[in-house]
Amino acid sequence: MKSRSVLIAAAIAALSHPAFAEDKILNLYSARHYQTDEALYANFTQQTGIKINRIEGKEDELLERIKNEGANSPADVFLTVDAARLAKAHELGLFAPVVSKSLESRIPAHLRTEDWFSFSTRARVIVYNKAAVKAEDVQNYEDLANPKLKGKFCSRSGSHPYNLSLMASIIAHQGEAKAEELARGMVANFARAPKGGDTDQIKAVSAGECGLTISNTYYVARLLRSTKPEDQKLMAKVGVVWPNQGTTGTHINVSGGGMMKTAPHKEAAVKFLEYLASDQAQRYFADGNNEWPVVDSVKVANPALDSLGKFKADKLPVKNLAMYQTKAQIIFDRAGFN
């Protein structure tokens, strides 16, 4: 008969066997900080029996951690927001190419690359004070540089990824000269120095501190869905414009992720990525965090998003947003958009 110690050693070896691990564990490094994602993850475990061990942090911290862990990193999947942040993980050589007919068929080509995938989108819209600005004067991003809006534009920092990705899209479509012209015009129209987040800008516009701003749609939708009387009063004073409907379409950014090159649970990682593109998970993104699904066939019922109406989205490949990110920062710096 085998000794007790031998049996224990055998059990430990079995637990560490890749096949066993593949079926039961997924180590997720996530820079998405939305409470509504809890249901998203719980549903995956319920469907598959795969337990998710989640490490949350800021994008740069998580990427540095994965890089430092090297070949021994336990990370299977990295999730974050913003195309440029996803591209950074790619540039660091952290993502592994994923071959999946499901992901290829469900996620449009312009919203995926060979090793990372978008799972939700958000649009960057113009929010204006109805009493101070006319909607017809702010139909395009280029209008933000119009001298008639001098002293009326508020924004968060030019170094924030949301603004950098918008400027990257302008560079991709119109070139650096036009992009810098826009950046300088925006700075000339500042009502105050950039500060705060998108919600702070919307509140400032409503209060009359600014005439207009740019914001990601889920901040707008969150305030529209609020039951607080002060938020309802706030939103009654502002209007929302889908920019560039007659040209390139409204700029969109994404939330997405990919499988790590050193993932110890590759099968589970691919299952999880495919799950995020499923109808049920796509509805979680829309209903829970006011984002849009990337899968065209998925229908959602979000009254706040519905109230904003239909719009033409920019179809620029997401990888191009990262391609021009550094140039966007240089242009903002030169223009004094800090």
Side-chain angles (χ1 to χ4, degrees), residues 208-264:
E209 183 181 348
C210 319
L212 71 157
T213 188
I214 43 178
S215 172
N216 277 358
T217 39
Y218 64 88
Y219 293 107
V220 175
R222 194 180 294 165
L223 288 168
L224 286 171
R225 293 180 76 174
S226 174
T227 56
K228 295 178 181 178
E230 61 266 31
D231 289 340
Q232 294 173 358
K233 187 177 178 182
L234 180 156
M235 293 309 289
K237 295 179 180 179
V238 305
V240 178
V241 168
W242 297 109
N244 296 71
Q245 291 302 281
T247 56
T248 57
T250 299
H251 166 69
I252 61 166
N253 208 329
V254 301
S255 176
M259 180 177 72
M260 298 292 95
K261 193 172 287 184
T262 55

Side-chain angles (χ1 to χ4, degrees), residues 6-36:
V6 171
L7 289 173
I8 291 173
I12 291 172
L15 285 171
S16 63
H17 191 274
F20 183 91
E22 288 285 0
D23 295 334
K24 301 295 180 184
I25 299 292
L26 177 82
N27 296 320
L28 172 64
Y29 282 37
S30 176
R32 278 181 61 95
H33 308 298
Y34 308 121
Q35 241 180 341
T36 49

Side-chain angles (χ1 to χ4, degrees), residues 97-315:
V98 173
V99 178
S100 166
K101 289 183 179 178
S102 173
L103 291 171
E104 286 182 16
S105 64
R106 292 181 67 78
I107 300 176
H110 71 285
L111 294 175
R112 56 181 162 83
T113 69
E114 70 277 5
D115 59 11
W116 62 264
F117 305 86
S118 304
F119 294 110
S120 64
T121 66
R122 61 280 297 271
R124 200 138 185 83
V125 293
I126 295 174
V127 180
Y128 66 97
N129 183 300
K130 294 176 182 175
V133 173
K134 295 178 181 178
E136 57 262 34
D137 289 336
V138 286
Q139 290 298 301
N140 303 289
Y141 294 116
E142 294 79 4
D143 293 332
L144 299 176
N146 192 321
K148 72 162 59 177
L149 298 174
K150 189 173 180 64
K152 293 185 176 181
F153 178 56
C154 279
S155 176
R156 71 191 304 161
S157 169
S159 63
H160 193 277
Y162 298 161
N163 281 343
L164 287 173
S165 288
L166 170 60
M167 186 54 66
S169 73
I170 301 293
I171 295 170
H173 286 305
Q174 300 184 40
E176 292 180 53
K178 287 288 186 183
E180 183 155 352
E181 185 180 321
L182 172 59
R184 290 188 182 279
M186 291 163 80
V187 170
N189 287 341
F190 277 161
R192 55 164 169 75
K195 64 177 181 177
D198 282 11
T199 301
D200 298 311
Q201 314 310 317
I202 298 171
K203 289 180 177 179
V205 168
S206 177
E209 183 181 348
C210 319
L212 71 157
T213 188
I214 43 178
S215 172
N216 277 358
T217 39
Y218 64 88
Y219 293 107
V220 175
R222 194 180 294 165
L223 288 168
L224 286 171
R225 293 180 76 174
S226 174
T227 56
K228 295 178 181 178
E230 61 266 31
D231 289 340
Q232 294 173 358
K233 187 177 178 182
L234 180 156
M235 293 309 289
K237 295 179 180 179
V238 305
V240 178
V241 168
W242 297 109
N244 296 71
Q245 291 302 281
T247 56
T248 57
T250 299
H251 166 69
I252 61 166
N253 208 329
V254 301
S255 176
M259 180 177 72
M260 298 292 95
K261 193 172 287 184
T262 55
H265 313 103
K266 287 184 168 59
E267 186 179 331
V270 174
K271 281 183 183 178
F272 181 66
L273 294 175
E274 291 178 339
Y275 160 75
L276 293 180
S278 68
D279 284 9
Q280 190 173 27
Q282 287 286 291
R283 289 192 194 100
Y284 273 123
F285 284 121
D287 297 335
N289 198 47
N290 304 304
E291 299 171 271
W292 279 281
V294 295
V295 179
D296 293 333
S297 61
V298 173
K299 304 300 178 189
V300 297
N302 184 313
L305 293 179
D306 290 344
S307 71
L308 294 175
K310 302 289 185 183
F311 72 103
K312 173 186 171 183
D314 189 354
K315 294 294 180 69

